[in-house]
Amino acid sequence: MSSRIIGIDLGTTNSLVAYVDEATGLPRVIPDADGRPLLPSVVAFTPDGIVVGEPARRQLARRPADTVYSVKRLMGRGFEDVKDEARYLPFRILAGEGLVRLAVGGREVTPPEVSAVVLKALKERAERHFGESVEKAVVTVPAYFNDAQRQATKDAGRIAGLDVVRIVNEPTAASLAYGLHRLSEGVVAVYDLGGGTFDVSILRVKDGVFEVLATNGDTHLGGDDFDRVLALWLLEDIAARHHTELDRDCVDLARDPEAMQELRLAAEAAKIRLSSEERTTLTLPFAGFTYRREMTRADLERLVEPLVRRTLGPCRRALADAGLSAADIDEVVLVGGSTRVPLVRRRVQELFGKTPHSQLNPDEVVALGAAVQAHILAGGITNMLLLDVTPLSLGIESLGGIVNVLIPRNTTIPTSAREMFTTSADGQTLVDLHVLQGERELAKDCRSLGRFELRIDPMPAGMPKIEVTFLIDANGILQVQAKEQRSDKAASIEVKPTYGLNEAEVGRMIEDSFTYAEADVETRMLIEARNEADTVLVHAGRALKQGAHLVDVAERAAIETAVAALRAARSGDDRDRIHEATTAVNRATEHLAEVLMDAALKGALGSRRATEILGER
Ligand code: AMP
């Protein structure tokens, strides 16, 4: 068995795997066979099997109900926690008690199972790279993840066949990657704005020791929200400009999941282009018309400004918790794809009064840090120590529903705390212990992590001495034990998170993942071929609809024959035949595509002719 430990950034939008290169001592991201470092955290449940990464992302628009993205937002959470955002997700989230369940591809899955598919793909990527099996990983999570969310991440690892030897906060990992390059002394602010979450951490770096002084953030804020406001704005604009066509065809785009998904993807692409360009053109073909619009960076900034501002409050709160002011910060590190947005950089720079550090790739910095942590654990680096903090206070409910805090937030972990409790009634034999996480005074306002009962001998009220011990390990995962000291009988119990998976469930999921893995390997290529065929069929259909009158009868007949052949091939299981038929359709429609492009260009150059042609058909 290999002793190798890989570092994994399990992201909301994209995930990466990295390791430390023994030759150079530097962390490196492992790319896929095509040289792509990022694996989109998207999993599609198709009738033929499970597809992950780029092929799954490509079919988002076509199979919105069976394609899961942003699942990190659902990890370790219950239906009540996510029902607001569930409205924006095109796949079905089932109402019910306990851990959230999704209904996709004709079956029920939990978020850890979906994440496990992503982890497994990264594990296999690493195994191909090293030519040996890999069983251990360090996985990163947002600093704000609570106990249940961390547990869910560990469960995902187990389902994927990975022992998650350490869970590290993402900003901590980022600073670790950064520290490896510059072992200076000072205070670092790590600002991490990804696809779905925002974190900020204040860390002190001294003599190779990283100490997290404070963390803060918002688990519901990220680039996905930028895309959403932009997509809604586009939707209004389309409705205003094309209401005639929409009314004529009785189309309500807002109620069409496929159209909304296309819109979201187009919005994201435009947002990304506007990070490096001042203006961009959006072109979206719909059934009866083509929407085209010029957008400037200023337009985008106006829309996302309130979202960017929402990140500044947590930054100020983290500074206050660390007992520091902005002037005390020596370095600012940017993490996450959304920090490429120029407005984000400007606002961060204004707040901290420093030019943010951008030497490391913001997409890769967390994975690189995870690899460094993995290297430390494997014994490769000995002059570095990692100290993390617990982001929320932990306590026990006592009489009257009051929270008794045992471990206050921002306590350096691993840590433990002990406190004595007693009973309020004579002859009480059952003591109910309710473990809570949060900053509020009353139990009802805090998050319930779990309940357990302790059986004791009957005694007068106030006599039993019940010692409750909280133990947080280096992963930030909590164990609670209770012991009655006066009687000989003692009991100690481990708390399970309210939204955790039980052993039997994890066992079943591991089995399932093996069953489906076999199907995956065999069918992935076939599914990809079918996906490509579907895309080509949609494009060919659209081109014929828009421009059939622009080509002669023979050409049209050739296209129709090729399309019919591809449809026939697609319904079978012969991958080569599908590939050949796809290529044939591409070849047959080449000329028509050029003619349409010419027509569209003429339209764009002033005459409205192309738009009229496209619109009328
Ligand atoms: P992460 O969760 O760190 O992978 O970040 C993903 C988010 O970053 C997504 O919302 C992307 O749309 C966004 N993103 C990636 N590249 C860029 C870019 N160049 N400009 C703006 N946003 C980007």
Side-chain angles (χ1 to χ4, degrees), residues 195-217:
T197 53
F198 168 63
D199 284 297
V200 57
S201 285
I202 312 290
L203 302 109
R204 175 168 285 134
V205 186
K206 197 173 180 218
D207 301 330
V209 176
F210 292 73
E211 186 187 2
V212 182
L213 301 178
T215 68
N216 213 302

Side-chain angles (χ1 to χ4, degrees), residues 9-16 38 41 72 170 192-197 222-227 264 267-276 300 335-342 362-364 366:
D9 170 6
L10 184 60
T12 308
T13 319
N14 293 300
S15 297
L16 298 94
L38 302 180
S41 309
K72 190 170 173 177
E170 286 157 11
D192 178 352
L193 190 59
T197 53
D224 294 350
D225 301 296
F226 291 16
D227 304 342
R264 206 181 66 83
E268 182 184 14
K271 170 191 79 175
I272 289 174
R273 289 198 298 277
L274 288 171
S275 286
S276 51
L300 177 73
V335 183
S338 300
T339 60
R340 287 209 170 91
V341 173
D363 296 326
E364 296 185 355
V366 169

Side-chain angles (χ1 to χ4, degrees), residues 303-315:
L303 289 166
V304 302
E305 174 85 53
L307 294 168
V308 178
R309 284 204 175 279
R310 264 176 59 197
T311 67
L312 304 181
C315 292

